[in-house]
Amino acid sequence: MNQAYQPLRLHVPEPSGRPGCKTDFSYLRLTDAGTVRKPPIDVEPSDTADLASGLIRVLDDQGNALGPWAEGVPVEVLRKGMRAMLKTRIFDNRMVIFQRQKKMSFYVQSLGEEAIGTAQIQALKAEDMCFPTYRQQSILIARDVSLVDMICQLLSNEHDPLKGRQLPTMYSVRDAGFFSISGNLGTQYVQAVGWGMASAIKGDTNIASAWIGDGATASSDFYNALTFAHVYRAPVILNVVNNQWAISTFQAIAGGEATTFAGRGVGCGIASLRVDGNDFVAVYAASAWAAERARRNLGPTLIEWVTYRAGPHSTSDDPSKYRPADDWSHFPLGDPIARLKQHLIKIGHWSEEEHSAVSAELEAEVIAAQKQAEQYGTLAGGQIPSAATIFEDVYKEMPEHLKRQRQELGI
């Protein structure tokens, strides 16, 4: 018996909000604060399936810290985190203005995502290595890296620590455990797993932390990293920053519609968590849990951080072309700084007066660093690293043919 079939068709995911209409955020599948369990460190990866589909949250809408993930988070971590988040946001704002003044070519801000890097870095050791993307400047700021050096890298001027060899925002600070950022967005995942494996081979106790955005999880490097991490139980934290949008494509295009990004980790035999990335307390607690698991030879952890890219993808982007302009104000997980501020005030370790004073102090610090960095040159000033630097940092001892070429250039 012949059966009639409809023509085959493909499914193309669409965002739940476009310019001119309000986004329906019900697709996020939220969980109430304090309701998600905290498993033992040695949990089997297959037993974390519910943690990869739920959402670990600690802070409720009133600023209360609830549930098992709220336990044991020191107040000094929260206060340091607040300062680092404020400093990151102020730094971002000043650098965007700097770019608009045509003093640098390009900038990527982390507006709305400050809690993720700031909290995790406090759960790691100084000797651990982070393999970030270009929206984790909060890691450097939380580790008190020189703002002057960071700005000089953005300006590619004569004081640029990287000698003009990296695009702006593509930092590299080995001493701060911050691996060179790559513009090929999936590469840092396999690099981090390899670094973690090397640490284990050497018998060290240092772990790696890899960062990737929701869009870049569609790359083959992502899956290669998961395979090696699972097979060799590499001591690594695999962070997926799901900020809902890649450059201009909604997270569902990368596979976040019918499942979660954390669910992919479970399918690969990796313990996985899905966490409210705008909840500083939850980020710290989940990061500390994953770091302890890695350090005890219990294998990798994949963490999906649910957050929102509040600003443009970069200074070259206009998000109002592809999503509602006021989306962030409706995002149900709120502003990470406002939420931690509310919690700290509620527990008596912050105040409106201190918030204003710290903000003013940090603003002055960033402005002073900006002025100092400008003295070494800006995009328009022509004060760039010497041409002689193209011969440096490649060979331990410069070959004779390069010495001759350098002499011929007279540098």
Side-chain angles (χ1 to χ4, degrees), residues 41-63:
I41 291 292
D42 60 353
V43 64
E44 288 295 321
S46 58
D47 292 333
T48 62
D50 61 315
L51 303 175
S53 59
L55 188 68
I56 297 169
R57 305 176 68 189
V58 171
L59 299 178
D60 66 9
D61 293 340
Q62 289 72 47

Side-chain angles (χ1 to χ4, degrees), residues 5 17 42 63 77 96 112 129 137 151 154 186 202 211-212 239 276 285 287 289 292 327 335 338 343 352-353 370 394:
Y5 292 97
D42 60 353
V77 166
V96 169
M129 183 63 75
Q137 54 266 47
I151 298 172
L154 295 170
K202 291 187 295 183
W211 301 79
I212 203 168
N239 301 281
D276 179 350
S287 297
W289 185 90
E292 184 71 7
D327 244 12
D335 180 336
H343 174 62
E352 292 289 354
E353 293 75 20
Q370 182 178 335
V394 178

Side-chain angles (χ1 to χ4, degrees), residues 132-136 166 169-172 178-183:
T133 61
Y134 43 56
R135 220 180 296 276
Q136 277 79 54
Q166 282 274 67
T169 75
M170 302 269 180
Y171 308 103
S172 176
F178 195 93
F179 200 83
S180 303
I181 296 176
S182 171

Side-chain angles (χ1 to χ4, degrees), residues 98 103 155 157 369-378 383:
F98 223 29
K103 294 181 177 180
L155 298 175
N157 62 23
Q370 182 178 335
K371 290 180 178 178
Q372 183 178 344
E374 278 191 87
Q375 296 176 5
Y376 299 107
T378 66
Q383 292 170 261

Side-chain angles (χ1 to χ4, degrees), residues 178-320:
F178 195 93
F179 200 83
S180 303
I181 296 176
S182 171
N184 300 315
L185 298 180
T187 59
Q188 65 273 12
Y189 243 52
V190 285
Q191 291 164 350
V193 173
W195 193 97
M197 291 172 63
S199 182
I201 290 168
K202 291 187 295 183
D204 287 343
T205 59
N206 305 324
I207 67 173
S209 178
W211 301 79
I212 203 168
D214 51 278
T217 61
S219 69
S220 58
D221 284 334
F222 175 76
Y223 294 98
N224 292 338
L226 263 58
T227 297
F228 273 78
H230 156 63
V231 170
Y232 296 103
R233 296 185 184 176
V236 61
I237 302 174
L238 300 167
N239 301 281
V240 177
V241 182
N242 180 7
N243 63 16
Q244 313 310 308
W245 290 91
I247 293 179
S248 60
T249 56
F250 187 55
Q251 55 97 25
I253 290 288
E257 184 178 50
T259 184
T260 66
F261 294 101
R264 299 184 189 181
V266 177
C268 289
I270 296 173
S272 302
L273 309 174
R274 186 169 176 261
V275 183
D276 179 350
N278 289 10
D279 180 340
F280 182 95
V281 185
V283 175
Y284 176 82
S287 297
W289 185 90
E292 184 71 7
R293 183 178 173 85
R295 243 180 275 283
R296 290 186 180 276
N297 286 308
L298 295 170
T301 303
L302 186 147
I303 309 177
E304 176 187 349
W305 305 108
V306 180
T307 183
Y308 194 79
R309 170 166 62 77
H313 183 265
S314 71
T315 50
S316 301
D317 175 45
D318 179 3
S320 68

Side-chain angles (χ1 to χ4, degrees), residues 71-123:
E71 299 169 4
V73 180
V75 170
E76 57 267 28
V77 166
L78 304 181
R79 287 181 55 84
K80 184 177 179 181
M82 173 59 80
R83 289 184 64 94
M85 285 199 294
L86 282 171
K87 191 173 179 179
T88 300
R89 185 165 294 183
I90 291 167
F91 182 83
D92 277 350
N93 183 56
R94 297 295 305 184
M95 293 306 103
V96 169
I97 294 172
F98 223 29
Q99 192 277 334
R100 297 307 188 205
Q101 294 172 337
K102 299 184 178 180
K103 294 181 177 180
M104 73 173 75
S105 60
F106 178 80
Y107 191 72
V108 178
Q109 62 178 333
S110 61
L111 182 63
E113 302 178 30
E114 296 92 347
I116 301 171
T118 301
Q120 182 167 116
I121 206 64
Q122 295 192 69

